[in-house]
Amino acid sequence: PTRRSSDLLNINYKSKKPIYLQIVHSIKKEIKEGKIKEGEKLVSENTLCKDYYISRNTVRQALDILEKEGLIKKIKGKGSFVLSPKIYQNRTKLSRFYDDIKMSGLVPYSKILHSGKEIPDKNVKDKMKLNDDDFIYIINWVRYGNDEPLIYETIHLNYSLVSGIEKIDLNDDIKLYKILEKEFGIKPQNGQEQIYPCKLNAKEAKFLKMRQEDLGMRIERVLYKDKKIFEYTKSVIRGDRFIYTIDF
């Protein structure tokens, strides 16, 4: 189906805001609110130019921005099509996958690939400031929205703070922080995140059902209970599905 141009844009010709940015904002708003669905074809450049009395260059400038942000895909000779809606995560405070995915209208769940009590390697030991005789509990899983893999993640928990967690069936409740709070009295108080772009390696691409060398975002997170690190997590996020926001 094609979106009617009369329903699409809200343009103020007297505004100081450039028209191409108004087009971008209008289409983004329609996509975010679900008024334009995944796979839907936008009206043609010619129709937009005719209906809104704007130049082709202005329309193309707007569509180029939307394509660079991964919201649409332009196919030569066919038009512009809406891609899967983005998942917005606010990174100002602790982001919770389960809640963020549910707010996006998707059904969140996680598939555990590996879990267990282990001796940490040097990198993890240094990150978590552990002693030589300390153990960790590791959870390696893929996190889904509906049936689409979104995040490949490895969580390292300080075992001294979660002793006995191996007896809990984590498949029964993917809200890990609820389990940590209820069973172990652990509630994240503060932490740090490092976020940087990356290219997916073979393993990450396999589990995220993407191609090796596709772009993603890598997140490393450390969380504290009092002054002690209880969690160190490494996540690889699909770069085509997430938009991060920060309040300041």
Side-chain angles (χ1 to χ4, degrees):
T2 302
R3 186 70 173 171
R4 294 178 300 168
S5 63
S6 59
D7 296 335
L8 186 62
L9 304 182
N10 180 19
I11 294 178
N12 180 356
Y13 297 95
K14 296 181 180 180
S15 172
K16 293 181 180 179
K17 186 175 184 178
I19 289 178
Y20 76 91
L21 289 181
Q22 293 186 51
I23 296 173
V24 169
H25 176 78
S26 291
I27 295 178
K28 274 186 177 182
K29 186 172 182 290
E30 296 271 303
I31 292 174
K32 187 175 181 180
E33 293 176 354
K35 295 177 181 177
I36 309 179
K37 306 296 183 182
E38 177 184 353
E40 195 169 353
K41 180 182 177 183
L42 297 180
V43 293
S44 69
E45 293 180 10
N46 283 337
T47 302
L48 288 173
C49 293
K50 180 180 177 182
D51 286 0
Y52 291 94
Y53 307 102
I54 49 182
S55 71
R56 183 177 293 273
N57 284 340
T58 298
V59 172
R60 285 182 175 173
Q61 196 173 2
L63 296 180
D64 284 346
I65 291 173
L66 292 168
E67 185 173 44
K68 285 178 181 177
E69 293 188 9
L71 294 170
I72 67 168
K73 183 175 181 62
K74 293 191 289 183
I75 301 177
K76 191 172 182 179
K78 292 186 177 181
S80 298
F81 295 83
V82 177
L83 297 177
S84 300
K86 297 295 183 180
I87 298 165
Y88 288 79
Q89 282 193 312
N90 191 312
R91 309 304 292 197
T92 308
K93 56 185 180 180
L94 178 64
S95 178
R96 298 175 185 265
F97 173 84
Y98 185 95
D99 297 327
D100 293 341
I101 297 304
K102 204 164 186 180
M103 284 181 63
S104 299
L106 304 176
V107 178
Y109 72 93
S110 301
K111 180 180 179 182
I112 295 177
L113 306 174
H114 168 73
S115 64
K117 179 182 176 183
E118 296 183 3
I119 298 172
D121 61 29
K122 185 179 185 306
N123 177 60
V124 173
K125 187 169 69 174
D126 291 345
K127 291 281 187 181
M128 299 184 71
K129 297 180 172 56
L130 298 173
N131 298 318
D132 290 340
D133 58 348
D134 285 336
F135 287 89
I136 59 167
Y137 190 81
I138 190 169
I139 304 169
N140 177 224
W141 57 12
V142 180
R143 316 205 72 178
Y144 292 80
N146 292 348
D147 293 321
E148 182 183 25
L150 298 172
I151 302 176
Y152 176 80
E153 187 170 73
T154 304
I155 297 175
H156 311 82
L157 298 172
N158 186 329
Y159 186 76
S160 68
L161 298 175
V162 296
S163 178
I165 192 173
E166 65 272 19
K167 299 175 184 177
I168 299 173
D169 186 356
L170 298 177
N171 288 301
D172 283 347
D173 187 349
I174 58 176
K175 299 180 76 170
L176 180 61
Y177 292 122
K178 291 291 185 184
I179 292 176
L180 293 177
E181 183 177 357
K182 179 180 177 182
E183 300 293 335
F184 304 102
I186 296 175
K187 191 172 183 179
Q189 296 171 333
N190 59 296
Q192 297 90 38
E193 282 188 339
Q194 291 183 338
I195 304 174
Y196 49 95
C198 67
K199 290 185 177 180
L200 303 182
N201 62 34
K203 179 187 283 188
E204 294 159 352
K206 172 187 174 182
F207 286 114
L208 292 175
K209 295 185 179 179
M210 298 183 75
R211 296 170 300 180
Q212 189 173 349
E213 300 292 300
D214 275 350
L215 292 178
M217 292 296 295
R218 200 174 299 279
I219 300 177
E220 291 191 46
R221 177 163 71 190
V222 172
L223 293 177
Y224 293 83
K225 181 183 184 293
D226 299 322
K227 294 183 179 180
K228 196 169 187 176
I229 295 173
F230 78 85
E231 177 192 323
Y232 167 57
T233 293
K234 296 191 294 184
S235 307
V236 178
I237 315 291
R238 284 183 51 162
D240 63 334
R241 296 293 276 113
F242 286 84
I243 290 179
Y244 293 152
T245 62
I246 298 174
D247 298 324
F248 62 91

